């Protein structure tokens, strides 16, 4: 069996996107992990399957991490799928159903940028979820002492449809996140594991962040982490309700709207290329251009 896909990314957090609206697609965790392998497969952080929505939204978006686990939320992928649907339908706003709820994506001002209403953050210990009761999740009891860097302690915990823990630090680069990330991700305090962020407010409403993603490892950006960090910062007065989150892959603008408690996320999207997978051999070929190729071609024509 052969099947076409799009390779996309939101600030370097990259995805394979399948359109399964007319022809269903259900891959096993082993096949997803094989395709996600950066040395032997296509390589991606998440796999996104666009399906028909059972409840009348424009689509249902299914999300798998590259380890094959299915999860409920992915901010960067929501922007990417939003962009595809806005281009396809020529509508101003599109609705995307996920396991975490119904999200609305709108075209943003900058070219190829999209704003997504990510809904309300959740702070209750059993909604994040945490394994034990905390009355205040702005700083939960948890600490880890790397030998070569200051102790990481009392992270904020937030759910953006998926679990996040945010450690406030002076220098996000002082830590070997590749080493401590997996220990924190699977700490028993997080019964469903967690996405782990290191965050530093370096100027008013400007926050530098590095993320270890649950089920995917170090990524260049994580949209839900950006939302969780911005909300956690506003919650304990480190920042206002609008901030820019600076990730290794670039900036994401987040506003936590006072009127309805919803979190709005604005950032870039990119189509890298079109491709086709042969499921018998689990190999792939590129079949079409991405944004960068199209831009280069249009510049050549213009000269
Ligand atoms: N990259 C995503 C988050 C993907 C899911 C996450 N790894 C989890 O397991 O919850 C984003 O942009 O939000």
């Amino acid at each position: 069996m052969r099947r076409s896909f799009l390779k996309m990314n939101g600030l370097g957090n990259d995805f394979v996107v399948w359109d399964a609206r007319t022809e269903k697609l259900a891959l096993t965790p082993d096949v997803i992990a094989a395709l996600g392998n950066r040395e032997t497969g296509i390589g991606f952080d998440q796999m996104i399957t666009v399906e028909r929505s059972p409840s009348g939204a424009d689509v249902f978006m299914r999300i798998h991490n590259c380890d094959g686990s299915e999860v409920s939320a992915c901010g960067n992928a929501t922007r990417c799928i939003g962009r595809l649907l806005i281009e396809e339908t020529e509508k101003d706003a599109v609705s995307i159903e996920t396991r975490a709820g119904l999200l609305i994506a709108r075209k943003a001002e900058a070219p190829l940028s999209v704003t997504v209403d990510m809904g309300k953050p959740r702070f209750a210990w059993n909604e994040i979820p945490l394994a034990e009761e905390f009355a205040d999740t702005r700083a939960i009891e948890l600490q880890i002492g790397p030998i070569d860097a200051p102790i990481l302690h009392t992270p904020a915990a937030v759910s953006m449809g998926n679990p996040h823990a945010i450690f406030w630090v002076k220098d996000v680069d002082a830590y070997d996140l590749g080493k401590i990330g997996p220990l924190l991700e699977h700490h028993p305090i997080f019964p469903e594991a967690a996405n782990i962020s290191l965050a530093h407010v370096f100027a008013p409403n400007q926050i530098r962040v590095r993320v270890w993603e649950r089920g995917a490892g170090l990524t260049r950006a994580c949209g839900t982490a950006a939302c969780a960090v911005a909300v956690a910062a506003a919650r304990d007065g480190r920042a206002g309700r609008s901030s820019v989150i600076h990730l290794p892959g670039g900036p994401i603008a987040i506003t936590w709207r006072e009127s309805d408690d919803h979190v709005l996320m604005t950032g870039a999207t990119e189509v890298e290329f079109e491709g086709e997978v042969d499921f018998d051999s689990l190999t792939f070929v590129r079949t079409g251009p991405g944004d960068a190729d199209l831009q280069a071609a249009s510049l050549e024509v213009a000269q």
Side-chain angles (χ1 to χ4, degrees), residues 10 13-15 45-46 63-65 69-79 118 161-164 185 192 194-195 212-217 219 221-226 252 265:
N13 174 202
D14 63 348
F15 320 109
D45 296 324
Q46 275 84 37
I63 308 154
H64 287 89
N65 283 322
S69 58
E70 186 174 351
V71 290
S72 302
C74 179
N76 287 323
T78 313
R79 289 202 316 281
M118 295 292 292
N162 55 355
H164 288 270
E185 173 190 0
E192 295 177 10
N195 298 285
W212 173 269
E213 278 196 36
R214 176 178 69 166
T219 61
C222 175
T224 48
I252 302 188
M265 172 193 59

Side-chain angles (χ1 to χ4, degrees), residues 9-11 76 79-80 111-114 251 266-270:
N9 76 74
L11 299 172
N76 287 323
R79 289 202 316 281
C80 287
L112 308 182
S113 270
V114 172
T266 302
T269 66
E270 183 182 2

Side-chain angles (χ1 to χ4, degrees), residues 120-160:
K120 296 181 186 182
R122 305 208 181 276
F123 306 118
W125 70 276
N126 51 346
E127 287 179 313
I128 292 169
L130 301 174
E132 51 184 272
E133 183 168 352
F134 285 92
D136 186 351
T137 51
R138 281 176 296 188
I140 64 167
E141 265 165 57
L142 168 62
Q143 73 172 43
I144 183 168
I147 27 173
D148 48 358
I151 286 178
L152 289 172
H153 61 92
T154 50
V158 178
S159 170
M160 282 305 311

Side-chain angles (χ1 to χ4, degrees), residues 1-3 27 31 34-35 276-284:
M1 182 183 68
R2 299 178 80 84
R3 192 82 184 236
L27 302 179
V31 170
L35 292 173
E276 195 177 74
V277 164
D278 178 344
F279 281 104
D280 297 323
S281 58
L282 284 184
T283 54
F284 78 101

